[in-house]
Amino acid sequence: MTLSYFIQQLLNGLSLGGAYALIAIGYTMVYGILRMINFAHGDVFMMSGYFMIYAITVMPWNIAIPAVIIGTILLGTLIERVAYKPLRSAPRMSVMISAIGVSYLLENLANYLFTAMPQSYPEISILKHVYTFGSITVSRVTLLAPILTIILTLVLVLLVNKTKLGMAMRACSKDQDTARIMGIKVDNIITITFVIGCTLAAIGSILYFTDRNTVQPYSGSLPGLKCFVAAVIGGIGNIPGAVLGGFIVGICQIVITATGYSVFSDAFTFVLLIIILFVKPSGFLGEKAIEKV
Amino acid sequence: MTKKKIDIKKTLPKVLMIVLVALYLSYLQADPMSHSYAITIIERSCIYSVAAVSLNLIIGFTGQFSLGTAGFMCIGAYITGIVTIDPAMKSQIFYLYGIQPWLENIKLPLLAALLVSGLICAAIAFLIGWPVLRLKSDYLAIATLGFSEIIRALFGWDGLGTVTNASYGVSNIPSFSSLYECVIICVLCIIIMALLINSSYGRAFKAVRDDDVAAEAMGINLFKTKQLSFVISSAFAGIAGGLLAVFMRSAVTSTFTVALTYNILLMVILGGIGSISGSILGAFLVTGSQEWLRFLDREYTFGSLFPMLSNTSIGGFNVPFLRNGFRMVIFSILLMVVVLFWNHGITGSKEITFDRIAGFTKKLIKHKEGNAHE
């Protein structure tokens, strides 16, 4: 393995990891507040990919990107209102089943609306610009993904730790009943959490699909599960942890694919999960001292 | 011990129903060619019933949210496939990788093959359960889901090609000798699980589900109980997988995706979590309605549906919405409605018994009479 090949793969891994990290944040924040795995999050991410395909046909890319983000937010909050809100006081298993149901619905809906054939993702020229350093070729999106991820994470961490809204979110994740007594509108906070999660998922989907070129109805389910695993690896409820987990999962996947065991690239994530749950169930950064959202 | 008196009034309808079902099956079996469609639906429903009851055993009766069913079904399907194929065919099927010499001449009858796959699944579940069952609800769900993906990747791997034929899967599995064979095996599996659930072990499962702290205080070993339930549930999932392989005459990893687990979960939820008869009903309803609703997937013009419109201008238009994939959309919306508004499913956690059916019809008749008087 030459050095340039190694760097090339590392960059690919970082790029994939960046996209995973953004999706993992959505999982970790929802889990922090509602204590549920939002199984539909991966499918929201897939839908966001389709939104872009259709948005780009009617508008230029610089309007299409915000439009896609808004569309994804609307979808995510709609799901929260319809499928999760009525089950606030229900047992956790019912909420999880509801989430699985939404995921099933979105996949079938995508299958119906956009057919099962993979559709090609639009090439946004500004993201597809290719740089060449010696024998390494990188598209701009590959370089942009990890940087954008880290910037967004920093903004989010500041939001959670320094603002009143962030304080309310932390309060809700600690104890919803007490938060409600203190005058926090818990339902609004939950909606805001979904808005943030969906925004990041939409950005993640642009980064992810620009590199992969096609979208199909099931292209959200496995990445979704992997991103949840990433959130668990980093410590569930912890935003920097989710980012760390996302990068670990992304880089591992690229490394395994590059060494010729691509069959196991999906399975390895779950092996990692079982190992982590065995060795350090709270994840890498999920110490009690770190505040959870 | 007092001898149980046989109450004719209670046993008569049961016997009658069994006779009716047997008569119907023999009617279908008498001419399997012309009834192949009905036979396919019945066999598929029976096999899914076994899978649904096995999933219900762990989710509904023990309260552990395990989603590994597809993985265990995959293991069962491959094992059953490999050991029941005619040895003469094996070199043909495994032409690419060759077959392990010790597998080459194995040929087991179906029952033995299913038993072997059940036992192997039980052993694997025992090992997997060790780390996994210590996890709480949603972690358990994601870990078992992950396990089933790992199995799928492993069985599709070239390195195991001499055993599993990698991504090509195992084909040419001999089918059921008759409809009876499939139905009887499925009924036996469900009866065994029902007996287990009604035994003291089953009561321990329910105790763990309802309140694990109280159950532990009553002297139930939490971990052992969970593990027993997981092992038995997985064994029957493996058997269901084996039956499915025989039914489809092939075993390929692409069958056993997460979607299969979700599909079986749907049957359990629709029928009612914690009800055996509910799961069976759910399996038949889901499988049956997926066939009956097939018309939703076809495109029609208004003219072909309503002959009186065929000469008007509307007749040439396609009926809106009806297009490939619409069936599954309707299906998933139905599932969401059940989950949100009717979360006990059709039966709730109660079983369907003849007394309840009789009581229900009586109420219905009374209600109608009451309406008539008004």
Side-chain angles (χ1 to χ4, degrees), chain A residues 52 55 59-70 124 126-127 202 206:
Chain A
M52 184 52 120
M59 50 185 104
W61 67 268
N62 46 6
I63 307 177
I65 290 177
V68 165
I69 293 175
I70 290 169
I124 303 165
I126 196 161
L127 292 175
I206 295 170

Side-chain angles (χ1 to χ4, degrees), chain A:
Chain A
M1 194 155 59
T2 58
L3 184 68
S4 63
Y5 181 72
F6 176 75
I7 294 174
Q8 177 93 58
Q9 294 303 332
L10 187 71
L11 283 173
N12 288 346
L14 281 174
S15 159
L16 181 66
Y20 279 169
L22 290 178
I23 306 165
I25 292 174
Y27 275 104
T28 218
M29 288 181 75
V30 169
Y31 194 93
I33 285 192
L34 288 181
R35 304 266 166 244
M36 64 166 274
I37 304 177
N38 184 6
F39 277 100
H41 196 61
D43 299 289
V44 169
F45 155 81
M46 170 273 295
M47 282 305 233
S48 176
Y50 277 111
F51 289 164
M52 184 52 120
I53 292 177
Y54 285 86
I56 207 85
T57 56
V58 290
M59 50 185 104
W61 67 268
N62 46 6
I63 307 177
I65 290 177
V68 165
I69 293 175
I70 290 169
T72 315
I73 290 172
L74 288 179
L75 179 68
T77 41
L78 179 77
I79 290 170
E80 194 266 325
R81 275 290 142 83
V82 176
Y84 304 152
K85 203 179 170 195
L87 298 175
R88 276 294 136 73
S89 54
R92 276 168 80 181
M93 206 199 268
S94 320
V95 191
M96 198 144 63
I97 289 169
S98 181
I100 290 177
V102 174
S103 149
Y104 195 68
L105 175 64
L106 285 180
E107 279 167 19
N108 288 323
L109 201 65
N111 204 351
Y112 168 63
L113 292 175
F114 315 121
T115 74
M117 297 294 288
Q119 298 201 14
S120 63
Y121 198 75
E123 292 202 355
I124 303 165
S125 52
I126 196 161
L127 292 175
K128 269 291 188 184
H129 185 87
V130 176
Y131 298 101
T132 352
F133 308 101
S135 59
I136 307 166
T137 53
V138 212
S139 66
R140 191 177 279 162
V141 70
T142 311
L143 295 176
L144 188 68
I147 299 167
L148 193 63
T149 304
I150 288 168
I151 293 172
L152 286 171
T153 313
L154 285 178
V155 172
L156 195 60
V157 169
L158 281 181
L159 176 86
V160 167
N161 287 328
K162 301 284 180 201
T163 62
K164 253 198 164 159
L165 177 67
M167 196 190 274
M169 291 167 107
R170 279 180 286 153
C172 284
S173 78
K174 275 262 153 61
D175 188 338
Q176 274 189 21
D177 292 327
T178 316
R180 192 170 281 124
I181 295 168
M182 295 297 168
I184 296 169
K185 293 198 172 70
V186 176
D187 281 337
N188 289 359
I189 296 296
I190 291 171
T191 308
I192 291 170
T193 310
F194 272 83
V195 168
I196 295 175
C198 291
T199 313
L200 296 177
I203 298 172
S205 97
I206 295 170
L207 298 177
Y208 181 87
F209 288 120
T210 305
D211 254 359
R212 261 150 212 81
N213 303 326
T214 54
V215 188
Q216 46 149 329
Y218 299 100
S219 53
S221 70
L222 252 187
L225 288 178
K226 277 191 217 167
C227 291
F228 180 74
V229 173
V232 174
I233 289 171
I236 197 94
N238 180 298
I239 292 169
V243 176
L244 179 70
F247 280 117
I248 291 177
V249 169
I251 292 172
C252 283
Q253 182 178 335
I254 293 290
V255 166
I256 287 172
T257 313
T259 46
Y261 287 94
S262 56
V263 201
F264 290 109
S265 65
D266 297 334
F268 180 77
T269 314
F270 295 106
V271 175
L272 210 61
L273 170 79
I274 291 173
I275 295 171
I276 285 284
L277 288 177
F278 218 11
V279 179
K280 204 168 186 312
S282 58
F284 282 132
L285 301 181
E287 301 289 352
K288 282 235 163 87
I290 289 178
E291 265 142 352
K292 292 184 173 184
V293 163

